[in-house]
Amino acid sequence: MEQTLVAEWSQHKPIIRAEQVDHYYEGQNGWIHALSDVNLEIPRKEFLCVIGPSGCGKSTFLKIVAGLIKPSSGTVLLNDAPISGPGPDRGIVFQEPALFAWRTVLENVEFGLQMQKIPKAETRKRAQAILEIVGLGHVINLYPYQLSGGMRHRVAVARAWALPNADLLLMDEPFSAIDAINRMTLQDYLIDTWMQEKRTVLYVTHDIDEAVYLADRILLMRPSPGRIGRYFQVDMPRKRDRNSPEFNALKNLITEEMHKSADPSEDLRDSVVETAK
Ligand SMILES: Nc1ncnc2c1ncn2[C@@H]1O[C@H](COP(=O)(O)OP(=O)(O)OP(=O)(O)O)[C@@H](O)[C@H]1O
Ligand SMILES: [Mg+2]
């Protein structure tokens, strides 16, 4: 009984908690303050999009959560434990899909499951199921060079999603190299996958339209130094209608804030905006 209560309670705890995170890089002309006093929580199963001007520390924050770099100070807790390196509990998708050229689509998706010693039959079943969801059921035996750019991105997403223990998916502009029309298709596949099997997603993008289409909540970061700006709660039901007045009103509001946030004299720190109720 007690154990059940503990399990239920932990479901409501944030999966990520960042506390007073600062990060500096050594640049050619001195230190670059990439992140300043970042404090945030990501609730379990939330789809959080991070946007903000170039250089505001989005990728730095994602890499810290991925365990690829250690912050200069502060801590990031994943399920209450400090992150000390990469792990199978996090799937990562970067801008360029890094697929294994010598493995088929199916074998690429199976790779992470094999690494985790998941039984062969289960691995195959799961990889096939995810590939169906992302619309690649008919090309599972092709090699990456035989696919279009958009298909390769779908394989990368499927590969991250297939990891059964990856409660957290980290995506850094995964579709930014794709043309606008195909990007929308990829966003649909991604949101279909998320709706069928919810995971926590930390998704970095430059594209405000994409953030409003995908996110439960949007974090706008500010530059110089990179820090938390403002949050936007997106309460529109999915799938969202890009032509609806609410969708466009929110897009316009965020665009305006993004312009303001590039101006260091405007301090938007810690302000929260609730929209589209
Ligand atoms: N390895 C590095 N060495 C030195 N400086 C770095 C390094 N990586 C990032 N920076 C600097 O840190 C700051 C934050 O970079 P980061 O890549 O996190 O920004 P970003 O918000 O992801 O930008 P973009 O939207 O262009 O991808 C920038 O000023 C960048 O030049
Ligand atoms: Mg970046």
Side-chain angles (χ1 to χ4, degrees), residues 23-28 30 32-35 50-63 69 95 172-173 204-206 221 226:
H23 193 71
Y24 294 86
Y25 291 105
E26 197 168 358
Q28 289 191 329
I32 296 163
H33 198 177
L35 290 175
V50 182
I51 58 171
S54 184
C56 72
K58 303 179 296 293
S59 296
T60 301
F61 183 68
L62 188 125
K63 285 179 196 158
I69 55 177
Q95 190 173 355
D172 195 351
E173 306 201 34
V204 170
T205 178
H206 267 111
M221 288 183 68

Side-chain angles (χ1 to χ4, degrees), residues 133 187-197 239:
I133 298 172
Q187 290 162 4
D188 272 329
Y189 281 121
L190 177 61
I191 214 68
D192 285 344
T193 315
W194 182 80
M195 289 201 302
Q196 291 210 24
E197 195 181 305
K239 284 192 173 165

